Amino acid sequence: MSTSPLGSFRRLEEHCRQAVKDIYVGCEPDKHPGELGSLPDYDYALVQLLQRQASVLMKLSSNSEPSTRPDPGLHIGQRTLLQKRLEDILSISYSKFYHYTFSDVPLWLRQLYTDTSILKLCEQFTSLSLSQRSILAGQSSTTGNLDAELTHMVKTLDLAIIIAGAAGGKRGRAWIDKALEMLEQCCAELAVREGNEELRKTFNLEQEFGSTSAWDDLPSFSTFEPVPIPVTEPIRRTSCLTHDAFQSYLDRPGHRATGAQPLVIAGLVDDWPARTTRPWCKPSYLLSRTFGGRRLVPVEIGRSYVDEGWGQQLITFREFISSFCDPASSSYSAPTRQPTQRKDLAYLAQHPLLAQIPSLRADISIPDLCYTSPPPNPFHRGPPAEEVDEPKLNAWFGPAGTITPLHTDPYHNLLVQVVGRKYVRLYGPWEGKRMRPRGVEEGIDMSNTSHWDVGVEEGWDERPLDGDAEAQMGDGEGSGSGSGEEGRTTPLRDIPYVDCILEPGDTLYIPVGWWHYVRSLSVSFSVSFWWN
């Protein structure tokens, strides 16, 4: 590791300067293919407003030498107006996102939001107070307010990733990843050079990576399970399968009419760094890989996305762990039944966290089994799901009691359990009517989700106070195909299912079309791989 924080600081300064120039030039209409000014149907007024802000930022920083504070004689009003205009562009462009479904947001709009975020980061970096710039440049080791300023800067870039997909050609995702890497390198080099424990704690530089014992003495997440759940209809288990053996399993199902069956595979991911040298079971390790927990993540607040009052928030990884997954939770005495109206229950669910944070993506690998050719769902009657060239990866991280309600997905799925234990119950796709699928609710098609609340039916959860008691009891008078005669008269307890508890290191194959209910028994971290 380099011992010169000044080197990383200067590289980040130059990285910002070049981005500002590129954004200014890229706003010129029809001169640079692939840039903002040449994209079809772009908003000329907004793009020109962005170009003017790039011009102002270039002027504000033109008199500053590398690694020094910008000229204090520059008019503070200019910088204040610049900050306001950048916020205006972000607000206006974000409001335009609502004119489209997320997948249809035009490239120019996503790139506009990303470029504006990059300019905002450049402005934040150049306007750091003299004392904070001295710290990052290696000329001071008093942290002062640096932690808060770093958090704001990281938030700016994470919003561009989460909201706009960090779209862009010369800049975009590659630029953002590089900026975050250099900013973190400044902090790491400074802490190492100074040998300052306060700095090491501020930047969460607890250990060196790669050693099998580096994290052994640090606390792990709680393994406490407030609600014991038995397995009554166990899914078949097997040891680690090769690609060819799994393909044979898919090609030769035990029952041709029903297709491939769920399967628990042990030992498939034993060599993942996330399970060995870079353990995800250690909160300190996860914080160290998320810039001291400063990275921003979207979390679901509440027990289930079908409950009244459920919502979503963007919070830092550090806040998520400390507020909802703290290892100290192992000492509390929990009730035998989970409350259902919990505002203190949060779930990082179905989020491409590993794409957002490449340092965590390096801790896992895609199983070879995802490159098999699985059979279609023999009970599916609609158009096939969009083909994917590479598996879709999503993270599922949260405390005990977080659930994914009974639902079905359009892809085959390998659900890998990395930390903690999860209960999973599955119903065959031929049970579609008896699953009582929901209908269109508030303009959203919810037909892949069941009216049945498995936790309530089994007595693991209390019935939501605002829930539809009649719908939960099986009268089926709600919307959707669940209102059919069979859906009304068959209690959930009489519908056949299979179930399992996933231990750390287990992988569950969920065939396409199978209805499944998933529940974290303890603090749990899982990764799903969708493919077809």
Side-chain angles (χ1 to χ4, degrees):
M1 180 181 289
S2 168
T3 59
S4 174
L6 192 59
S8 294
F9 185 78
R10 281 177 167 161
R11 287 193 294 273
L12 182 53
E13 280 189 322
E14 183 54 36
H15 193 56
C16 289
R17 281 198 182 89
Q18 189 59 52
V20 174
K21 293 177 183 177
D22 287 344
I23 290 172
Y24 178 82
V25 173
C27 291
E28 290 290 339
D30 304 323
K31 290 186 179 180
H32 303 274
E35 298 291 346
L36 268 172
S38 66
L39 294 176
D41 302 322
Y42 74 99
D43 187 316
Y44 178 83
L46 266 182
V47 171
Q48 293 306 297
L49 181 60
L50 178 67
Q51 186 182 44
R52 287 197 292 274
Q53 308 323 304
S55 175
V56 171
L57 189 52
M58 283 192 294
K59 292 176 182 177
L60 287 175
S61 58
S62 61
N63 295 328
S64 62
E65 293 298 323
S67 309
T68 62
R69 186 185 183 189
D71 185 349
L74 292 174
H75 198 279
I76 294 178
Q78 286 182 289
R79 191 172 293 280
T80 301
L81 184 59
L82 170 63
Q83 293 167 348
K84 185 178 186 307
R85 288 290 177 263
L86 291 175
E87 292 298 337
D88 288 343
I89 300 172
L90 289 172
S91 177
I92 293 170
S93 58
Y94 183 56
S95 68
K96 290 178 178 289
F97 278 48
Y98 288 98
H99 298 171
Y100 311 89
T101 59
F102 183 77
S103 60
D104 294 330
V105 175
L107 175 61
W108 75 264
L109 187 53
R110 294 189 295 113
Q111 189 168 324
L112 174 70
Y113 189 96
T114 302
D115 278 351
T116 308
S117 299
I118 289 173
L119 279 191
K120 180 178 176 181
L121 180 280
C122 295
E123 191 283 324
Q124 288 173 317
F125 182 64
T126 58
S127 65
L128 281 174
S129 67
L130 179 59
S131 61
Q132 308 309 323
R133 291 175 68 86
S134 296
I135 295 168
L136 284 183
Q139 299 163 353
S140 169
S141 58
T142 302
T143 57
N145 199 38
L146 180 59
D147 181 66
E149 302 220 28
L150 287 172
T151 300
H152 288 313
M153 294 164 70
V154 172
K155 177 181 179 180
T156 295
L157 297 182
D158 268 330
L159 284 175
I161 296 173
I162 295 170
I163 291 176
K170 281 187 177 181
R171 296 166 303 281
R173 184 55 187 272
W175 190 95
I176 288 175
D177 285 346
K178 191 66 176 176
L180 287 166
E181 178 186 329
M182 287 190 286
L183 189 58
E184 194 164 3
Q185 188 71 7
C186 286
C187 299
E189 289 175 346
L190 174 61
V192 170
R193 178 179 177 177
E194 296 294 328
N196 187 308
E197 288 304 314
E198 182 183 358
L199 286 175
R200 290 182 66 86
K201 184 176 180 181
T202 297
F203 304 135
N204 211 76
L205 300 168
E206 296 288 351
Q207 304 282 338
E208 292 295 322
F209 309 132
S211 168
T212 56
S213 61
W215 305 90
D216 286 352
D217 295 332
L218 296 176
S220 298
F221 287 112
S222 169
T223 58
F224 178 71
E225 298 183 8
V227 179
I229 297 179
V231 171
T232 56
E233 302 293 336
I235 297 171
R236 175 187 167 189
R237 295 181 67 93
T238 187
S239 299
C240 183
L241 288 179
T242 65
H243 175 281
D244 291 343
F246 187 58
Q247 186 66 63
S248 296
Y249 177 80
L250 298 175
D251 292 339
R252 300 179 180 86
H255 302 281
R256 286 284 178 182
T258 58
Q261 302 288 304
L263 183 68
V264 177
I265 308 165
L268 190 66
V269 299
D270 284 350
D271 61 345
W272 277 9
R275 299 259 305 125
T276 55
T277 57
R278 302 197 286 270
W280 287 7
C281 64
K282 305 286 186 177
S284 292
Y285 175 75
L286 293 177
L287 291 173
S288 73
R289 296 310 250 181
T290 54
F291 204 155
R294 294 176 183 84
R295 299 303 299 269
L296 203 66
V297 290
V299 298
E300 301 177 356
I301 304 296
R303 186 189 68 113
S304 168
Y305 63 73
V306 296
D307 288 352
E308 190 73 24
W310 174 91
Q312 294 176 296
Q313 290 182 10
L314 287 170
I315 61 177
T316 66
F317 203 84
R318 177 168 48 192
E319 182 182 353
F320 176 61
I321 285 183
S322 63
S323 298
F324 303 104
C325 305
D326 194 296
S329 63
S330 59
S331 62
Y332 74 86
S333 175
T336 56
R337 179 178 290 182
Q338 290 287 320
T340 52
Q341 301 299 312
R342 293 180 63 176
K343 300 303 181 185
D344 60 338
L345 196 64
Y347 199 12
L348 196 163
Q350 196 171 325
H351 175 56
L353 179 72
L354 308 182
Q356 179 190 352
I357 305 176
S359 58
L360 287 177
R361 174 65 179 82
D363 294 344
I364 70 161
S365 58
I366 298 176
D368 290 344
L369 276 53
C370 290
Y371 297 101
T372 51
S373 298
N377 175 7
F379 297 88
H380 184 68
R381 297 294 179 264
E386 176 188 359
E387 288 193 18
V388 293
D389 295 329
E390 287 291 324
K392 294 185 175 183
L393 278 65
N394 281 306
W396 309 79
F397 178 31
T402 49
I403 70 168
T404 302
L406 189 60
H407 72 290
T408 184
D409 296 317
Y411 297 97
H412 293 265
N413 183 7
L414 287 182
L415 178 62
V416 178
Q417 190 66 16
V418 185
V419 177
R421 303 205 313 158
K422 256 182 178 164
Y423 173 82
V424 188
R425 177 181 292 192
L426 299 101
Y427 296 85
W430 54 88
E431 302 287 6
K433 288 185 178 179
R434 296 203 290 185
M435 290 295 95
R436 302 175 58 245
R438 308 174 84 95
V440 176
E441 300 177 2
E442 298 182 357
I444 301 174
D445 183 3
M446 298 285 288
S447 59
N448 75 321
T449 302
S450 171
H451 271 295
W452 291 115
D453 190 323
V454 175
V456 169
E457 295 296 320
E458 292 291 351
W460 307 327
D461 293 325
E462 294 178 354
R463 190 177 305 280
L465 297 177
D466 45 34
D468 184 344
E470 291 184 341
Q472 296 296 345
M473 293 174 67
D475 77 332
E477 295 302 323
S479 59
S481 59
S483 59
E485 183 66 26
E486 192 172 22
R488 287 201 300 267
T489 59
T490 306
L492 183 65
R493 64 177 176 274
D494 292 339
I495 304 175
Y497 64 86
V498 292
D499 60 350
C500 67
I501 289 178
L502 295 179
E503 304 284 347
D506 282 348
T507 300
L508 172 63
Y509 166 56
I510 304 176
V512 62
W514 279 68
W515 294 79
H516 48 289
Y517 166 87
V518 187
R519 183 187 192 95
S520 299
L521 300 180
S522 62
V523 173
S524 169
F525 203 146
S526 315
V527 181
S528 62
F529 299 84
W530 282 2
W531 90 104
N532 56 15

